[in-house]
Amino acid sequence: MFRQATKQATRQLIANSRAITAKRALSVAARKTATSGLRSTAFAAKPLVATRGIKQINFGGVEETVYERADWPREKLLNYFKDDTLALIGYGSQGYGQGLNLRDNGLNVIVGVRKNGASWKAAIEDGWVPGENLFDVQEAVKKGTYVMNLLSDAAQSETWPALKPLLTKEKTLYFSHGFSPVFKDLTHVEPPTDIDVILVAPKGSGRTVRSLFKEGRGINSSYAVWNDVSGKAHEKAQALAVAVGSGYVYQTTFEKEVNSDLYGERGCLMGGIHGMFLAQYEVLRENGHSPSEAFNETVEEATQSLYPLIGKYGMDYMYDACSTTARRGALDWYPIFKNALKPVFQDLYESTKNGSETKRSLEFNSQPDYREKLEAELETIRNMEIWRVGKEVRKLRPENN
């Protein structure tokens, strides 16, 4: 699809790049700041300089408040949480990323997991010390002033009867997903009404939360408040969002967070894009194209060439930058895809909103043999021709030779 651009497209690409650079320079000058808060050095390496702050931004005609990392420089975080113990419960993907970032930021964080289980051993490998900052779940909850429940959704439901009595009035309850409280009729996780209950949801995996922090950047996150008993719940959530590694933070609700999250994962982020990859690849193979050509035209070009540029500059930039032939075809076909797929997305959103996706997830993930069943499904994906071909194609990349 994406052949060499014509001279006109190339000139347009250069012009766009220069325009973007100039626009950014003017924006920076107008703010009288040299660097973006999102690109400041990570807290653990160097104290932040507050160059950006709370602001109103017009997102497509809608004014929203955005909170930035510079609102909470390291010294302010240390002072704000100086009397607190952050008890992080669970050491899966988010527990790993958020926990290590909190520790590197110098905050008093402890981890609570099942003693001698897989997560306990993983935490020890990452430098958490039993009896010092690594405890079993109930002991960690008792010690914490903030209880950060980062167990899996199914595990939150299973452990709630034991944890809820430990959530006494002086504590703050924290989630990174609205799943459990929003669908409390299914999960039976009903937060106490006499404590602050907040949410910070990084828009990426815990591994990404960690890697972006180590790079001195920051992931974008949403925050929400379920209970504001103290009158400071919003402030607590914004501070913790920065402490766990967020670059900027926007407000949502528990309900909107879980609906958008479940919807997105099943749609464009994972399920939908995987389905589109498979459909395009299979049609190419059925029409005589080789495995390598089908993979390169479907996945490699998308992930290595187009998607990074779309992420950096936007889809409109991509249209400006590609060849006239590619541009014409994309402009003709995107409405067809949208019209064909929108009913599927409407069904998907309704499925998340009415609890069907939650019910399915809880039922499957609570089965005693769910790991074996999950592994069988993942093995099916690993054995698909498209991903076996991808493994070989990646070996050919210059950086892997």
Side-chain angles (χ1 to χ4, degrees):
M1 182 194 96
F2 201 79
R3 303 291 181 243
Q4 277 196 333
T6 60
K7 291 182 179 180
Q8 180 182 0
T10 302
R11 287 195 295 270
Q12 183 66 53
L13 174 62
I14 294 171
N16 287 344
S17 180
R18 288 173 176 170
I20 290 169
T21 301
K23 185 177 180 181
R24 288 177 178 170
L26 288 171
S27 177
V28 170
R31 290 195 306 267
K32 296 183 179 181
T33 178
T35 59
S36 165
L38 294 176
R39 294 191 294 272
S40 300
T41 306
F43 294 151
K46 182 180 178 181
L48 289 172
V49 177
T51 57
R52 299 173 70 181
I54 299 171
K55 60 178 59 175
Q56 291 289 321
I57 296 180
N58 188 305
F59 291 101
V62 178
E63 291 285 334
E64 294 185 41
T65 301
V66 173
Y67 302 86
E68 298 182 302
R69 190 166 63 179
D71 301 322
W72 290 91
R74 186 168 186 254
E75 293 80 2
K76 185 177 178 180
L77 285 175
L78 291 172
N79 182 66
Y80 191 80
F81 293 111
K82 65 180 185 297
D83 298 322
D84 290 304
T85 297
L86 309 176
L88 192 148
I89 310 304
Y91 202 69
S93 175
Q94 287 295 333
Y96 157 85
Q98 295 188 36
L100 291 179
N101 290 354
L102 288 168
R103 191 175 73 182
D104 284 354
N105 275 336
L107 302 182
N108 181 25
V109 56
I110 62 176
V111 172
V113 291
R114 182 170 57 85
K115 193 170 185 179
N116 297 322
S119 294
W120 179 274
K121 295 173 183 176
I124 290 175
E125 290 177 2
D126 288 336
W128 302 94
V129 181
E132 182 179 318
N133 52 22
L134 177 61
F135 304 92
D136 66 36
V137 172
Q138 292 199 12
E139 187 173 1
V141 173
K142 291 175 182 178
K143 290 178 176 292
T145 54
Y146 284 76
V147 177
M148 304 175 69
N149 195 339
L150 298 181
L151 293 166
S152 70
D153 296 322
Q156 287 186 20
S157 181
E158 292 168 5
T159 59
W160 187 248
L163 294 189
K164 186 175 181 179
L166 304 178
L167 297 172
T168 49
K169 286 186 178 181
E170 73 278 5
K171 299 182 186 295
T172 296
L173 178 59
Y174 168 107
F175 294 96
S176 278
H177 193 14
F179 187 100
S180 292
V182 170
F183 296 109
K184 57 183 179 294
D185 290 343
L186 294 169
T187 64
H188 308 296
V189 175
E190 190 160 3
T193 58
D194 58 352
I195 65 173
D196 288 346
V197 180
I198 61 177
L199 172 148
V200 172
K203 299 296 114 180
S205 74
R207 300 287 163 177
T208 308
V209 171
R210 180 61 176 163
S211 64
L212 291 180
F213 177 87
K214 289 171 70 177
E215 291 171 14
R217 298 162 65 191
I219 197 163
N220 63 305
S221 301
S222 61
Y223 92 89
V225 171
W226 183 273
N227 287 341
D228 185 6
V229 175
S230 69
K232 297 181 178 180
H234 288 268
E235 183 179 79
K236 290 177 179 181
Q238 293 157 17
L240 265 181
V242 173
V244 301
S246 304
Y248 71 91
V249 189
Y250 59 91
Q251 186 177 356
T252 186
T253 66
F254 274 64
E255 292 83 0
K256 289 178 179 177
E257 188 283 327
V258 69
N259 286 338
S260 63
D261 188 75
L262 294 178
Y263 174 74
E265 290 168 348
R266 286 151 178 77
C268 289
L269 300 181
M270 294 176 67
I273 199 66
H274 189 196
M276 284 190 67
F277 281 156
L278 290 175
Q280 178 166 309
Y281 180 88
E282 289 175 5
V283 169
L284 286 170
R285 293 288 287 121
E286 289 161 4
N287 282 275
H289 296 269
S290 69
S292 63
E293 182 173 52
F295 184 86
N296 277 300
E297 290 294 337
T298 300
V299 179
E300 192 75 353
E301 191 170 351
T303 59
Q304 300 304 298
S305 177
L306 305 190
Y307 292 174
L309 287 177
I310 293 170
K312 192 171 185 180
Y313 298 119
M315 182 63 77
D316 53 339
Y317 179 95
M318 182 55 60
Y319 276 106
D320 286 339
C322 72
S323 70
T324 55
T325 301
R327 184 188 304 145
R328 183 66 267 148
L331 289 170
D332 289 343
W333 276 90
Y334 88 78
I336 298 172
F337 278 106
K338 191 202 86 166
N339 292 335
L341 291 171
K342 189 169 181 181
V344 178
F345 278 94
Q346 288 171 329
D347 289 345
L348 171 57
Y349 190 83
E350 181 58 29
S351 183
T352 63
K353 188 175 180 180
N354 66 24
S356 297
E357 295 302 313
T358 297
K359 186 173 184 292
R360 161 70 175 155
S361 179
L362 287 172
E363 287 176 349
F364 181 84
N365 295 332
S366 298
Q367 295 174 12
D369 60 345
Y370 94 94
R371 290 187 184 276
E372 291 80 4
K373 290 180 178 178
L374 175 63
E375 180 58 29
E377 290 185 277
L378 295 177
E379 189 63 21
T380 297
I381 294 176
R382 295 186 195 106
N383 287 328
M384 288 177 177
E385 182 185 89
I386 184 174
W387 304 120
R388 288 189 285 112
V389 172
K391 186 176 181 180
E392 298 306 313
V393 169
R394 287 191 293 276
K395 293 177 183 177
L396 299 175
R397 294 177 188 167
E399 65 269 24
N400 294 330
N401 289 319

